[in-house]
Amino acid sequence: LARSVSSRYGVSSKSFDLRRGSEPQSRRGSDDDMPVHASSLPDVRATEAKTVPPAVQHPVRAEDVVYETSIQPALNCADPRQLVPAPAPEVALGSDTVAEVEAFAGFQDGVVNTPAGPIRTETVSVTVGTRIAGLLRSNCAPALDKSDLPTGERGCLFRGLSVEYLSTTFLKELDVDENDTVYDIDARVMKRTESQLCPRDSELGAALVDVVSDPNAGLANVMLSYSWKYRVKDIVAGLLEYCANEHLQASEVRVWICALCVNQHRVRKATVPFEQFQEVFGRRVRGIGRVLALLSPWEQPHYITRVWCVYELYTAMTTPGCVLKIILPQQQKEDFRKAFVGGGGARRIWRALSELRVEQAEASIVADRERIMEIIRAGPGIRALNHLVVKRLQSWFMESAAGYLEQRISDGSQELSDAALCADVGDLLINLAKFPRAQAVLEAGIRIYVAAGKAMAPSAAPLHRWLGSVHSEQGRYTTALHHFEKARKMLEDMDHDLPPTLEAAKLLHAIGDVHTFSGQAEAAQSCYRHAVNTLEAAGKGVSDAMAEILQSEGELLRRRGEYGQSLKKYQEAMRIMTHTGSRASPKAATLVQGVGMVLVAIGRYSDALTIYTIAMEIFEATGTTATPAAAAVLWNMGQLYGKQGDGNQALKVFALAGEIAQETGTAKTPLGARLLLGTGVELKKRSKYQEALQKFDEALILLKQINSANSELAVEIYWRIGQVKGHLGDTAGELKSYEEAQAKGTSKGWRAAVVLAGVGELKLKSGKSAAAFQIFVQAASILEESEAANSKEAAYIRQSLSKVHAARGELSKALVASKQALEIYRKAGMGFSGGASRVLHAIGDLQTEMGQYQDAEATYLEALDIFEETKTATTRRCALVRKSLGFLQCVAGECGQAMEELEQALTILRSIGLSHTSEAVEIMTCKASVLTRQGCTDEALMVLEEARDVASELEQDIGAQVALTIAGAEAMRHVGKEGYIEEFARGIALMEDGSKLETKDGAELLRQYAEALRGSGQIAAALEQLGRAQQTLGALSLGRTHSAAKVLQALGSVHREQGDFAKALEMFDECEELLAEIGLAKTISAAQLRVKKGKVCHAKGDVDAACTLYQSAVDMHKAMGTSRSLWAGKALLSLAAAKQEQGSSEEARLCREEAIQALQDGGFRNTRDTAQAMKHLRSSFMGVLGTMPASEIDTFSEGGDCPAAENG
């Protein structure tokens, strides 16, 4: 994954925008963002066959291929600017969480501090999803045509000496002792060759290869890359080891060695320009085709400290067809084995790997070093080179340990010491995700114990524990527990108690992990506590084992929402690992990941991304990026990208993690199920509901196969399925999914409460608010019993209760509940989380409905601030908040700003691939409504047509279809087009088909339908629909809600149309009382009601009463800050008409002017109301309009085909 080290590390690095997956175009193909599969790599065997002369070809093995076929993801990080941490809420670990993790990982002030010394970090440029091989295919030198190569005679630039000669005659002739380095023998080589004629230029002074008597010398088939600080006998030993490993005769292998094959006499006399050396050396690498890089000692190779060695390594990496092998002398193998068997071997391996840094390499000429580093940066990158060396050395470690042991077992060894070594080797192989090989080694160790008659010996317990871990890592939990139980019986005393030993504690921890994976949190916690007590009793309170247990406890606390306590556990574990020197290990990376997951939960996304990046750096430094643990970090990164709205990036990361899972044999584990879940969630966001369901179903099938059908993960998947079913209008399927989730989970804990809340949400959508309320109260009680009353889940339940109050029309209670939810988030340190932004959105919506328009605007802006701070301003949720803000601005008479917000919301959805979703339809529908209110009906209809095209692609999203239908009908009614009644009827039919007509939304639709019928003169039909709406609301116990008030207001309007003024006023008075009762006496609805009552009085001839009511409506708009709204303009026009009728012409003129100004300022320039006002002013007060051209006045009536504006 793309990586540029941020400025927080004090490094000046190239900008790299991960969200676009960009890097310099010269190194990118059209498909660089996608994973490079093995099938797309070049045929390396064919390449090698062409480039190596037939006489020197070796059998090609998989590990020889320079293009690795295993996944090697580099680090994942955002643009450096995106790593600036958001203002952090207070948590137990404080605001220094990232700094603490950086210090733990060795990052301080732009430097990685290691026991080997400080290392300054460098820039990385590895494309998302590509393997290192994919990078190396670009910017490589062309392969050399060998058809004209010489045959290796004296004087040939490609002539090499045989390993047989080097290991015998050479050592004797130059009198090489045990400690002689290449530097030490240089003078002897010079003296040996100074009087010899060089066959290359016919002058005195030759290369040793051209003068010695080696009957096997000839065209080199390997090139040695090494350091002159190496001991000569170590070099020879390394070459002999290579021959033995490759099953080659020493006489067959001819080596090109610079100290012996370059004419050193000429080198002393002339300075070779770097460019010339680069060309000659590259030609030699291409010509020989196989490079052996000799590393020694195994823990801190001198080779990596010399820049010319690094350059040779780089050249070998970037040369097509060149095979690169890393070799070590036999003595180093023995030293390594002693260190491994002697205890702490694994820790020393991880430390050795993590300390390899080619950027530390030095040169006697500084300019050479800088030039070489620039070349490497421009090619695969320094980190890619580091990674290759680490992977090759890691492979050597593995083969030295496992290969040695496997050979002894193959030879029939029955030594118990070898059986004990099987446990250590098994541990190493498990960490490298070599599960089949680990299983074979561990089972071989068990067989040795069985053959010795000691099958139940306590010393055999580690073998069964590690074998159980092999099965656990692959999701075979029943088999894992079987082996753990065997190990337990081996360790138990006569009373069946475990002894206070390190092994017993490790076993308890392993059992606890299986319980965690299986969703049995209480059993897991019991095992962890027992393990901690066992370690303390054994005097191992400060050990790697204790750190790992604390990490597992931190994970359980995080799942329960106890983030402060969770961070404390992680903090303690980091301190222990620092003390034990294990911070450079895969376990440390997993620990760091846990901290990142907590930061995600509390909304600190930028910090979390930094933490995940550090975890990947540790994996990369130890050569363990292609492991399930690293894939788990990628899964979390993918989730984080999804939260930040970058769904495309999330899917790419999930795919990369999936490839790792496939290659390591862990695709059929909870990790694989999580990857399917994450992919399904991203598809759901795109409204691809059927595809999402398919992924969720695959995840469930997988969990059933590994006996995890009752795990917490299964519960979450059923919950997600219920959500999708709800979007598809499948109420029965939604309920069934929630019931399945309840059945699979426990009746306790936060997850049980959340699943129960899902059932409550379903009841609420079905109009059963009383039942929903009881369910939410029950869910809240579960959280209190679980001591999670202040968790994010508690905030979610509180917000659900707010929805119930809102549905009942209890808006004040709903607002209180939402504010309580927000307070819970803030107290939990999650004030910047996605949950907090959702609650703020809901609060803003409630404030809008209650007429608290200025407060609502401030609330929406606060939510948008959170999106900005957490780098989630391009997410679906942010787009919906902007939609609500746009609607509010339209209501308040700020149509220009409203359109900007709505357009920005659509832009966000388009930028993240959600332009064809129900949310996009919702925003386009709102945009069309604003345009309709502005009188821009043609534009509105065009937007609606676009929205209809999108909606037709959605999978049975009834809500989107109905909203679109009603918006279209309203626009058609506004311009007097026929067919709008039929559109309303179609909306009714859609609701009925989805069994949603008998709901609050259904009642609202019936009211709108009745308003349309009234407008078309179908009074009886309108009364019938309003009666149905009242009946629906009554059945839902919503007779005293805002929806009910709207129905009363509509009834009053129908009676006014009939001329039944007394009945109309009765309905309006009842409506006014209801609005006051539910706290909506100071809203736009209340102001509209005053205007409607005024019209009735006006029609009755009571103009004074009408003026009073109109004036009160105007005053209400001014008080609410909505004096530029369409409704305020209408109220002013009604007041002007009444004033005119009273004979107050001047006041009428002033009212009309004020109305025109308000409508124009609010963006309603082209509306019918503006046209009518201009008409009156033009016909009655031409003197006032003397300075306004008639053509400008006419434009107000040309904005639409409105019949009422024909005479404008």
Side-chain angles (χ1 to χ4, degrees), residues 536-575:
E536 290 174 345
K540 299 289 184 180
V542 180
S543 62
D544 288 342
M546 179 64 83
E548 291 169 20
I549 295 169
L550 290 171
Q551 174 185 338
S552 295
E553 288 191 308
E555 170 67 10
L556 282 181
L557 289 166
R558 181 189 64 80
R559 294 185 180 202
R560 288 209 297 257
E562 299 178 33
Y563 304 116
Q565 294 300 315
S566 175
L567 282 174
K568 285 182 179 179
K569 293 289 184 181
Y570 291 136
Q571 182 183 36
E572 189 177 350
M574 284 192 292
R575 282 199 296 265

Side-chain angles (χ1 to χ4, degrees), residues 589-645:
T590 304
L591 171 59
V592 168
Q593 173 194 224
V595 177
M597 294 170 73
V598 173
L599 294 180
V600 169
I602 61 178
R604 289 167 58 182
Y605 296 148
S606 294
D607 286 352
L609 184 58
T610 302
I611 296 297
Y612 289 150
T613 300
I614 292 173
M616 288 304 298
E617 286 175 346
I618 297 174
F619 280 124
E620 184 182 1
T622 55
T624 53
T625 50
T627 60
V633 176
L634 292 175
W635 141 256
N636 281 300
M637 279 184 163
Q639 278 199 310
L640 181 52
Y641 285 124
K643 290 178 182 292
Q644 292 180 312

